[in-house]
Amino acid sequence: MITVRKLKLTIVGDEETRNQQYKLIRDEQYQQYRALNLCMSLLSTYNILNNWNSGAENKLNSQIEKLNKKVEKNKNDLKKDNLKEKRIE
């Protein structure tokens, strides 16, 4: 369970100092939100691309391997047939 507490921040000082300090806090919060948004976007993009590519690549690689095995088998069969023809002649 996550608990949240709301804090009320009060800066003691003259008007100009308070405005500067509040502006600093707002600017820092804005930078934190931007950084968090950027990180979450990168993580989400990486996750989507990784999930999408991993399945397609594996499937493609297995299909290529199967085709290569078939090609090798056919080559071997042709060699055997050529040897048989030479023996008959």
Side-chain angles (χ1 to χ4, degrees):
M1 183 171 157
I2 298 173
T3 58
V4 178
R5 298 200 185 264
K6 186 175 180 180
L7 300 174
K8 185 172 183 175
L9 185 63
T10 304
I11 298 174
V12 179
D14 61 346
E15 189 71 26
E16 185 178 333
T17 304
R18 288 176 49 210
N19 288 339
Q20 288 175 350
Q21 296 300 320
Y22 283 133
K23 183 178 182 328
L24 176 70
I25 291 169
R26 283 192 301 273
D27 290 343
E28 291 298 318
Q29 283 181 333
Y30 177 72
Q31 294 300 327
Q32 289 174 1
Y33 294 145
R34 284 186 60 201
L36 181 61
N37 189 19
L38 177 65
C39 291
M40 292 304 292
S41 297
L42 290 174
L43 284 173
S44 178
T45 303
Y46 172 77
N47 190 23
I48 289 169
L49 291 176
N50 191 28
N51 287 340
W52 186 77
N53 284 338
S54 64
E57 282 182 24
N58 293 337
K59 185 176 180 181
L60 183 63
N61 287 336
S62 68
Q63 288 175 348
I64 290 172
E65 287 176 16
K66 287 178 185 177
L67 290 174
N68 285 336
K69 287 179 184 178
K70 286 182 181 180
V71 168
E72 288 298 320
K73 182 182 176 193
N74 289 336
K75 283 182 183 179
N76 291 336
D77 290 344
L78 283 175
K79 286 180 184 177
K80 289 178 184 178
D81 289 341
N82 287 339
L83 288 175
K84 287 180 183 178
E85 287 178 10
K86 286 182 182 179
R87 287 183 189 163
I88 292 174
E89 293 175 355

